[in-house]
Structure formats: C-alpha cells, structure tokens
Amino acid sequence: SVKELYDTTISFYDDTLRQQVIETQVIEASMYQGLENDEFEIYLQPKYDLKTEKVAGAEALIRWHHPTLGFLTPSRFIPIFEHNGFLLKLDCYVYEKVCCLLQSWIESGETPIPISVNMSRLHVRQQNFVEELEQMVNSHGVPAELIEIELTENAFFEDTQQIIDVMEQLKSKGFRLSMDDFGSGYSSLNLLNMLPVDTVKLDRAMFTETTKAERSKKVAANAIHIVRDLEMTAVAEGIETREQVDFLKNIDCDMVQGYFYAKPMPVIKFEQLAYNRVG
Ligand code: C2E
Ligand code: MG
Ligand code: MG
Ligand code: MG
C-alpha cells in the first residue's frame, strides 16, 4: 500500500541518514590520527600530451586507508574536511609530499614531471598561504613552475576578487595555475578573461555523449578553441574511450586525463610508467 511504501521509504532515509551521520562522526574523530599515522596516500593520475601520447604531467589525488572504513576516495571525506576546515591541513600535507617527490626526481637526475595539486577555496582566506607555499618549494629546491595549482570553477561563486588576488600572487611566485572542472557548473567565459590561468581543465561532463551529441560536441570543440586561442593549455578530463580521444585530437586539444590512458595510481606505479623503472 501507499502507506507501507511511505513508511519503508521514511525508514530507508532514516537509516541512510543515520549511517551518514555516524560515518561523518567516525571520520571527524579519526582524521588527526589518520594524518599522524600516515594513512593518507597520494595517488598520481598521468596527463597525456595528445600529440606525442606521452606522459606530460600528473595530478595528485588524495586517498585514505582508513583503519575501519577501508580505502576511501575523496568524495567520502573532502566535503567533511571542507566543512570543518581540516582540508587546510590535509592540503598542506599533499603539497609537502609533492615537493618531496619532485625533489627526489630532481636529485635522481630524472627530468621532473610537473604535478598539479588541488587547492580548496578555504586557502584564499589564509593570511600566509602564498608565502608558506613559496617557502615550502624553496626548502625542497623545487622550482615553482613544476607545480600547478588547480582551483575548481565552482569556487568562484564567492570571494571572486579575493580569489583573483591570491591567484595573481601565486602566479607572481612562478606557480602554474589551472581552472578545474570548467563547464561543470555555471562557468562564465568572462572568468577566463579575469584569471591568470595557464591551463583550463574541461570537465568530463562536456565529453559524455548525450541525446544531443552533435550539439554537445560543438560546445566542447568551441570551448577548447577559445582556451587555445587565449594561449592557455586545454586539458580534457575524464576521457574513457578511443572515440573521445580521436575527437579531441581532431579539434587540437592539448592534453587528456582519463581512464582511457590511466587511472590514478600509487606513486611507485606512476614512476614505473613515466620513467620506465622496473618494479
Ligand atoms: P578533480 O580535481 O576534478 O579530479 C579528477 C577526478 O576525476 C578524480 O577523482 C579522478 O579520479 C577522476 N577521474 C579521472 N579520470 C576519470 C575518468 O576517465 N572517468 C571518471 N569517471 N573519473 C575520472 P577523485 O580522485 O575521486 O577526486 C575527486 C575530487 O576530489 C577531485 O576532483 C578534487 O576536486 C578533490 N580532491 C582530490 N584530492 C584532493 C586534494 O588533495 N585536495 C583537495 N583540496 N581536493 C582534492
Ligand atoms: Mg583537479
Ligand atoms: Mg576536475
Ligand atoms: Mg571533477
């Protein structure tokens, strides 16, 4: 009956809601220890140059080996950490690890591969963020140009001017800048004008076929055209098929990141792939 359906629906929501509340509590209670105990691990996902089909960069993506909840990807904990502010700490951990890694590549005589890191808009309100980041790269002897900082287009809803200021400062220190998830929400083409970004990452939503395939292809092609015309690098995200790769080659997209080429992987696997190291 409708009433039964209603009751089970309510208790279903009750149960999942309760579970979510419990999980959030577990995550918040274990986050500091997680950092102390090295439970967080950086995965790298290669970015491929479409002309050479070689690895031309990587994105650092955080993972958590949680003692009771298991292997967690960011969707489970990043929103919680964004809300409680712990993301500031976690991001700094990521930046430090990335600096160590770049330093080790430089010291071993390899050509260092640029790495991009994600930045939360929480950092924009931190007084010394830019200085601290600069000190970090300096203390590892890593040129700032090897680090690209990705900021999602959704961050630009609020504090737009403040974000632009911080990006200008980062740019002046030599960091590369990237607009992430372009085309996923309410992108404004004007943002491309206002921001000192080197790279635009086009969200995978732009390349997933829909019933209006021809139209969405035109939108994607023209977006990439604008990005390249502005002399910025166009990176297509979430590319899973050969068909998508061929389409992107045709329209002169610069780089691709997606499961078609490689999924995010542990650092050691990435080094084997990019530097032909034997495991
Ligand atoms: P993002 O920065 O847009 O990263 C790309 C996401 O797309 C990653 O998800 C990646 O695993 C996924 N992806 C890549 N290729 C494909 C594909 O071909 N198909 C599909 N379906 N997905 C693909 P992930 O690792 O789960 O990260 C999700 C988001 O969490 C990231 O989106 C980023 O916004 C955030 N994030 C991850 N690590 C960090 C971090 O260290 N700090 C901060 N602040 N945010 C992070
Ligand atoms: Mg990103
Ligand atoms: Mg993205
Ligand atoms: Mg995304």
Side-chain angles (χ1 to χ4, degrees):
S1 73
V2 171
K3 179 165 186 325
E4 274 168 15
L5 184 65
Y6 181 81
D7 286 346
T8 48
T9 308
I10 292 291
S11 64
F12 170 77
Y13 279 118
D14 259 15
D15 275 1
T16 44
L17 258 182
R18 198 174 299 126
Q19 257 168 12
Q20 274 175 19
V21 170
I22 291 170
E23 186 172 297
T24 301
Q25 286 171 345
V26 170
I27 283 176
E28 293 199 303
S30 52
M31 59 193 192
Y32 284 100
Q33 239 191 343
L35 206 51
E36 269 170 35
N37 296 348
D38 262 329
E39 291 164 10
F40 291 95
E41 183 182 358
I42 290 181
Y43 269 40
L44 293 177
Q45 186 178 30
K47 290 185 210 168
Y48 283 78
D49 183 309
L50 266 183
K51 290 243 155 59
T52 62
E53 290 201 67
K54 294 227 162 74
V55 177
E59 177 174 11
L61 296 158
I62 195 73
R63 302 288 183 260
W64 189 1
H65 301 274
H66 194 280
T68 57
L69 299 172
F71 183 73
L72 303 182
T73 55
S75 62
R76 296 273 287 280
F77 55 86
I78 294 264
I80 299 169
F81 292 171
E82 202 150 40
H83 190 251
N84 66 22
F86 187 70
L87 192 55
L88 292 169
K89 252 190 156 43
L90 184 63
D91 274 347
C92 287
Y93 174 83
V94 171
Y95 305 158
E96 182 81 40
K97 286 280 176 186
V98 164
C99 285
C100 290
L101 188 59
L102 286 166
Q103 181 180 10
S104 78
W105 290 344
I106 292 167
E107 284 173 355
S108 69
E110 309 271 18
T111 309
I113 295 167
I115 301 182
S116 59
V117 295
N118 292 285
M119 171 186 156
S120 160
R121 69 187 159 84
L122 296 180
H123 293 290
V124 171
R125 306 225 180 119
Q126 294 292 104
Q127 276 299 315
N128 300 317
F129 175 63
V130 177
E131 285 75 15
E132 279 168 17
L133 210 56
E134 190 191 22
Q135 272 174 21
M136 203 188 280
V137 291
N138 285 345
S139 72
H140 288 277
V142 170
E145 292 77 19
L146 286 176
I147 295 182
E148 184 167 77
I149 298 168
E150 301 189 357
L151 188 57
T152 174
E153 68 162 23
N154 307 314
F156 293 92
F157 258 138
E158 293 165 58
D159 311 320
T160 313
Q161 192 52 51
Q162 229 176 335
I163 293 174
I164 294 173
D165 290 347
V166 170
M167 290 188 108
E168 298 278 5
Q169 288 174 46
L170 288 167
K171 186 78 215 161
S172 75
K173 307 287 187 195
F175 293 101
R176 317 254 310 155
L177 299 174
S178 172
M179 187 184 311
D180 204 353
D181 308 319
F182 189 72
S184 66
Y186 302 92
S187 335
S188 150
L189 287 176
N190 202 36
L191 273 181
L192 297 180
N193 257 339
M194 300 190 296
L195 298 171
V197 292
D198 307 277
T199 302
V200 176
K201 298 185 80 175
L202 298 113
D203 195 75
R204 75 190 187 97
M206 294 197 87
F207 310 102
T208 34
E209 301 298 86
T210 62
T211 43
K212 302 254 167 59
E214 279 315 308
R215 290 184 63 160
S216 55
K217 275 184 178 167
K218 283 184 182 173
V219 172
N222 281 291
I224 287 170
H225 183 78
I226 292 173
V227 169
R228 301 202 72 230
D229 207 22
L230 293 169
E231 294 176 341
M232 301 187 276
T233 303
V235 181
E237 274 196 299
I239 300 308
E240 297 180 350
T241 67
R242 167 51 69 187
E243 223 183 335
Q244 289 173 315
V245 170
D246 290 341
F247 165 72
L248 290 162
K249 279 186 179 172
N250 256 321
I251 58 174
D252 279 333
C253 183
D254 299 289
M255 289 205 229
V256 157
Q257 182 182 341
Y259 296 171
F260 176 75
Y261 284 108
K263 290 191 172 180
M265 59 186 82
V267 168
I268 181 132
K269 286 261 188 298
F270 178 83
E271 291 177 327
Q272 286 164 14
L273 177 88
Y275 292 123
N276 301 307
R277 281 189 195 164
V278 254

